[in-house]
Amino acid sequence: MTASYDKTTSQAQSNETQKVVDGFNGLDTDAKLAWFYFVYQKMGDSVTPAAPAAAEPELTPILFGDYFELSDEQQLTIMRDIVNRKDTEYSRAYGAIKENNQLFVWYAWAVAMGDKVVDLPSNYQATKAINDLVSQIEELDFEEQISVFRTISGEMGYTDVKPIATQAETGKTSSL
């Protein structure tokens, strides 16, 4: 059986992981970006090993080399566009890659934050909602955490690729 790829289908399987995804989706754009920052700041060493090992960064040079050369404001705009699924060059580049590579994008940006990537303002205070979500993800096991990150990162970016309709949806069988 072959499953079609659907970016709207959540990979977060358990109630706990779905609760984190739903909480994340309830945040505003900048709070989502801050959540990523705090998660990587608190948990980066335990979460990030999965991303680089499974990623192919050469597939998205625009999101690495080119991105790092932009101003802080340009970088922040690109991050916001990706979170908001806007139809832009960078958001399309992000939306065109697989979830492991999407995770790697956030990992690479988090590692470079404050150096080559725009940092949180020094006076930024996380909201209760952000802190609660960070605590919730810390309580999950590694596989559940990765499930949440894949779900969240996979729902970002712009793509106009639509899943292929299934036989059940079309009522037609494939012809050989």
Side-chain angles (χ1 to χ4, degrees):
M1 182 171 133
T2 304
S4 66
Y5 178 69
D6 183 355
K7 282 190 162 228
T8 62
T9 302
S10 176
Q11 288 189 28
Q13 300 297 321
S14 72
N15 289 338
E16 292 81 20
T17 56
Q18 190 59 52
K19 182 179 171 187
V20 176
V21 170
D22 291 344
F24 178 84
N25 288 334
L27 298 174
D28 68 35
T29 302
D30 287 340
K32 289 176 180 178
L33 294 173
W35 180 83
F36 267 116
Y37 174 84
F38 289 118
V39 164
Y40 277 106
Q41 185 181 48
K42 288 185 94 173
M43 306 171 54
D45 292 339
S46 65
V47 172
T48 54
E56 302 162 285
E58 66 277 3
L59 296 178
T60 56
I62 190 173
L63 297 170
F64 296 105
D66 294 354
Y67 178 84
F68 293 133
E69 302 302 318
L70 301 173
S71 71
D72 287 355
E73 194 55 43
Q74 289 170 311
Q75 289 178 347
L76 184 57
T77 297
I78 289 166
M79 287 180 182
R80 288 172 174 156
D81 289 348
I82 289 170
V83 167
N84 292 321
R85 301 180 195 113
K86 287 193 175 178
D87 185 359
T88 66
E89 178 184 15
Y90 283 89
S91 192
R92 278 181 175 268
Y94 179 90
I97 57 178
K98 291 183 179 177
E99 286 148 341
N100 283 337
N101 289 320
Q102 291 170 335
L103 284 173
F104 188 70
V105 167
W106 291 109
Y107 166 75
W109 290 352
V111 168
M113 204 171 266
D115 181 22
K116 291 181 177 182
V117 174
V118 61
D119 204 349
L120 274 179
S122 58
N123 62 346
Y124 185 86
Q125 294 293 314
T127 64
K128 180 178 179 347
I130 292 171
N131 289 330
D132 288 349
L133 281 174
V134 171
S135 295
Q136 288 172 22
I137 198 145
E138 285 179 306
E139 293 171 8
L140 300 175
D141 68 31
F142 178 76
E143 291 301 320
E144 290 174 316
Q145 290 171 348
I146 294 301
S147 175
V148 168
F149 294 136
R150 279 194 181 114
T151 299
I152 288 171
S153 64
E155 292 175 350
M156 295 182 189
Y158 181 87
T159 183
D160 51 11
V161 175
K162 304 293 183 237
I164 298 169
T166 65
Q167 180 180 345
E169 293 169 330
T170 64
K172 297 178 183 177
T173 59
S174 58
S175 52
L176 299 174

